[in-house]
């Protein structure tokens, strides 16, 4: 069984259209082996080089291995014909930039489209994988790390460099990952995309507002960033996403995301329950208000008429519990828990009580995690009790980790 699954994963590269971007790094010599591996796996490879890359490896070598003319300039020197970066961007199933220098990473992070490679990247609709290669101090420099983080937040996949001896003869992190492992990363991505392809995924995001009167409400500090990152991550892997969003100032990007905006917990409950009936997977990331005012005033309450105010609150319906009770065989239900103390204990209890398959624990005790931040730090707990503590990273990165775990659970079923 294990052999057949591995074989099936490798088949996912067959007939895939890959743009391989090569930049001016000594690691460009590895691009020859990388090209050969991709072609051997059945992929169709179109190479786009920066002018500096041609100083390290010749287009002739790469065109021979890829069986396609290499693209480097905007116009052909022979006849003046135009190389369309737009056509390349819409042609590809994935774009891989390996090696990616600090210079190219900086240009990409800031949209500086002064060569064919960066303009192709800007036009690319497919997932993008970036394999940095540079000296250890260049890689560790705050500007490089900020540029990589910006690219992650745009949805690019960063293939972390390895540590070892560098061209400078120094030892440290900065070596481009080996071609075999880069290809493994692409294979795993296409395999996961196959698992989620056409799957219907329900995601809730953001806060809910519970009206007191026409201008006042009970709410919370949720920005919706985590839920929106999850929606984008699922959509990039081929899922059809229904995003149910509370009142947030965020926009969706991927065309496979269908968005329904709601305001109150009752509204979110109604939409989520209806959508879950047709869903394969649900990820409940919204910070839903537990209570609402028992009575909502139809006119503005005047401060002058009351020296003190008492609100009578009533409990909102529990979306996670309702979906857990309605869950069919084969459906996956993922929840979030935001805790201030005894997080693991409370999260495990919620996992059982709500009939969840996976729960992501946020703790306000972790700096940089929770409401309002661009970063997050979660601990994933599944039905078997397996606990995975993630490090602090961007919410885009956390979303990728959560979706990877969801894919693994879906694959087992």
């Amino acid at each position: 069984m294990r052999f057949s699954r591995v074989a099936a994963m490798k088949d996912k590269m067959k007939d895939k259209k890959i743009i391989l971007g090569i930049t001016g790094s000594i690691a460009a010599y590895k691009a020859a082996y990388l090209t050969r591996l991709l072609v051997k796996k059945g992929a169709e490879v179109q190479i786009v080089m920066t002018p500096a890359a041609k100083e390290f490896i010749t287009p002739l070598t790469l065109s021979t291995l890829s069986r396609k003319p290499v693209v480097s300039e905007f116009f052909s020197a022979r006849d003046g014909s135009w190389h369309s970066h737009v056509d390349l961007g819409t042609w590809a199933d994935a774009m891989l930039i390996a090696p990616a220098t600090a210079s190219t990473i900086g240009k990409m992070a800031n949209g500086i489209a002064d060569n064919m490679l960066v303009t192709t990247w800007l036009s690319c609709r497919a997932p993008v994988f970036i394999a940095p290669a540079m000296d250890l101090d260049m890689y560790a420099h705050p500007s490089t790390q900020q540029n990589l983080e910006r690219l992650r937040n745009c949805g690019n996949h960063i293939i972390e460099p390895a540590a070892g001896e560098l061209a400078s003869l120094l030892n440290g992190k900065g070596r481009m990952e080996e071609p075999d492992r880069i290809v493994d990363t692409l294979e795993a991505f296409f395999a996961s995309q196959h698992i989620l392809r056409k799957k219907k995924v329900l995601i809730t995001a953001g806060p809910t507002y519970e009206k007191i009167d026409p201008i006042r409400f009970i709410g919370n500090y949720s920005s919706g960033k985590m839920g929106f990152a999850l929606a984008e991550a699922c959509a990039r892997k081929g899922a059809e996403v229904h995003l149910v969003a509370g009142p947030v100032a965020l926009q969706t990007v991927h065309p496979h995301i269908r968005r329904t905006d709601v305001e109150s917990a009752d509204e979110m409950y109604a939409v989520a329950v209806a959508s879950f009936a047709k869903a394969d997977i649900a990820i409940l990331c919204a910070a839903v208000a537990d209570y609402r005012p028992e009575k909502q005033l139809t006119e503005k309450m005047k401060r002058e008429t009351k020296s003190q105010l008492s609100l009578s609150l009533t409990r909102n319906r529990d979306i996670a519990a309702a979906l857990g009770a309605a869950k069919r065989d084969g459906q996956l239900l993922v929840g979030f828990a935001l805790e201030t103390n005894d997080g693991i204990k409370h999260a495990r209890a919620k996992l059982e009580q709500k009939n969840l398959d996976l729960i992501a624990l946020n703790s306000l005790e972790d700096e940089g995690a929770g409401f309002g931040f661009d970063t997050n730090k979660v601990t994933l707990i599944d039905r078997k009790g397996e606990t995975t503590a993630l490090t602090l990273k961007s919410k885009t990165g956390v979303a990728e980790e959560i979706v990877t775990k969801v894919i693994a659970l879906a694959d087992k079923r």
Side-chain angles (χ1 to χ4, degrees):
M1 179 66 177
R2 184 179 178 184
F3 174 80
S4 64
R5 285 184 63 190
V6 172
M9 185 178 81
K10 291 184 177 179
D11 285 344
K12 300 307 174 191
M13 290 292 291
K14 185 173 175 56
D15 298 325
K16 295 297 183 186
K17 298 177 176 65
I18 310 293
I19 298 171
L20 174 57
I22 304 171
T23 69
S25 163
I26 186 64
Y29 78 90
K30 295 182 180 179
Y33 183 45
L34 181 55
T35 302
R36 185 173 180 273
L37 280 177
L38 291 169
V39 171
K40 191 174 180 180
K41 297 287 185 183
E44 186 178 349
V45 181
Q46 175 61 65
I47 292 171
V48 180
M49 303 177 73
T50 64
K54 292 188 286 187
E55 301 293 330
F56 294 90
I57 188 168
T58 68
L60 177 60
T61 298
L62 295 166
S63 65
T64 301
L65 292 170
S66 66
R67 303 166 195 166
K68 283 178 174 289
V70 169
V71 175
S72 180
E73 309 295 340
F74 291 105
F75 299 95
S76 170
R78 293 182 177 179
D79 58 11
S81 59
W82 177 47
H83 294 136
S84 174
H85 56 89
V86 175
D87 289 347
L88 280 174
T90 56
W91 168 82
D93 294 306
M95 183 174 186
L96 167 65
I97 303 172
T101 59
S103 174
T104 293
I105 288 168
K107 289 179 180 181
M108 292 166 65
N110 292 281
I112 300 173
D114 66 348
N115 61 44
M116 188 66 186
L117 192 153
V118 178
T119 54
T120 300
W121 170 74
L122 286 169
S123 299
C124 190
R125 297 179 181 178
V128 177
F129 297 81
I130 301 168
M134 63 198 74
D135 201 56
L136 74 163
D137 295 311
M138 295 174 69
Y139 180 73
H141 197 281
S143 65
T144 303
Q145 291 302 310
Q146 288 167 12
N147 288 333
L148 286 169
E149 190 62 20
R150 180 178 288 185
L151 291 173
R152 282 192 191 94
N153 289 334
C154 292
N156 298 278
H157 302 266
I158 308 300
I159 302 175
E160 292 288 333
E165 186 174 330
L166 305 169
S168 63
L169 302 183
L170 297 173
N171 271 277
K173 189 172 182 177
R175 288 171 58 95
M176 186 184 92
E177 184 57 277
E178 293 304 317
D180 301 81
R181 294 194 177 186
I182 291 174
V183 173
D184 286 346
T185 299
L186 288 176
E187 285 181 335
F189 172 81
F190 284 121
S192 67
Q193 190 179 49
H194 176 73
I195 292 169
L196 278 191
R197 185 171 176 78
K198 301 298 184 183
K199 289 287 190 297
K200 292 180 171 57
V201 179
L202 163 67
I203 297 176
T204 64
T208 63
Y209 289 173
E210 310 302 323
K211 284 184 177 180
I212 298 171
D213 64 17
I215 64 170
R216 299 179 180 91
F217 62 85
I218 298 172
N220 57 59
Y221 296 112
S222 175
S223 65
K225 292 176 181 178
M226 191 68 250
F228 275 62
L230 284 162
E232 297 289 346
C234 289
R236 284 195 297 269
K237 288 179 169 55
E240 296 177 358
V241 178
H242 183 193
L243 176 63
V244 185
V248 295
L250 297 173
Q251 298 296 321
T252 57
V253 175
H254 202 285
H256 289 171
I257 299 174
R258 175 171 64 92
R259 176 175 175 175
T260 301
D261 290 312
V262 298
E263 183 176 85
S264 69
D266 263 351
E267 291 171 344
M268 185 172 284
Y269 179 97
V271 176
V273 168
S275 182
F276 188 62
K278 299 178 181 178
D280 301 294
I281 299 167
I283 305 176
L284 306 180
C285 189
V288 184
D290 293 322
Y291 295 90
R292 68 181 186 277
E294 193 169 27
K295 294 182 179 179
Q296 296 179 4
L297 302 179
T298 57
E299 296 180 351
K300 178 184 175 181
M301 181 172 47
K302 297 294 186 180
R303 183 177 63 175
E304 291 78 8
T305 64
K306 293 180 180 291
S307 60
Q308 291 184 335
L309 173 65
S310 296
L311 285 178
S312 178
L313 303 178
T314 186
R315 185 180 296 175
N316 280 319
R317 290 179 291 181
D318 189 325
I319 297 175
L323 300 195
K327 188 174 66 173
R328 307 184 306 273
D329 288 344
Q331 282 184 306
L332 279 174
L333 185 57
V334 181
F336 273 70
L338 179 62
E339 302 294 343
T340 57
N341 64 290
D342 296 329
I344 297 291
K345 175 183 175 182
H346 292 310
R348 283 180 171 158
K350 183 174 181 178
L351 180 80
E352 293 296 329
Q353 292 165 4
K354 308 296 172 71
N355 194 24
L356 306 177
D357 298 288
L358 180 70
I359 193 164
L361 167 64
N362 271 131
S363 174
L364 291 183
E365 297 174 316
D366 293 322
E367 187 176 350
F371 291 151
F373 294 102
D374 291 326
T375 55
N376 206 0
K377 182 180 179 182
V378 304
T379 299
L380 302 179
I381 306 170
D382 64 20
R383 294 289 294 183
K384 293 182 177 179
E386 182 178 328
T387 300
T388 306
L390 305 183
T391 58
L392 183 71
K393 57 182 65 181
S394 69
K395 287 185 174 176
T396 299
V398 172
E400 289 291 338
E401 296 271 11
I402 292 172
V403 173
T404 296
K405 179 67 173 179
V406 169
I407 288 169
L409 293 174
D411 191 29
K412 288 177 183 178
R413 296 192 174 188

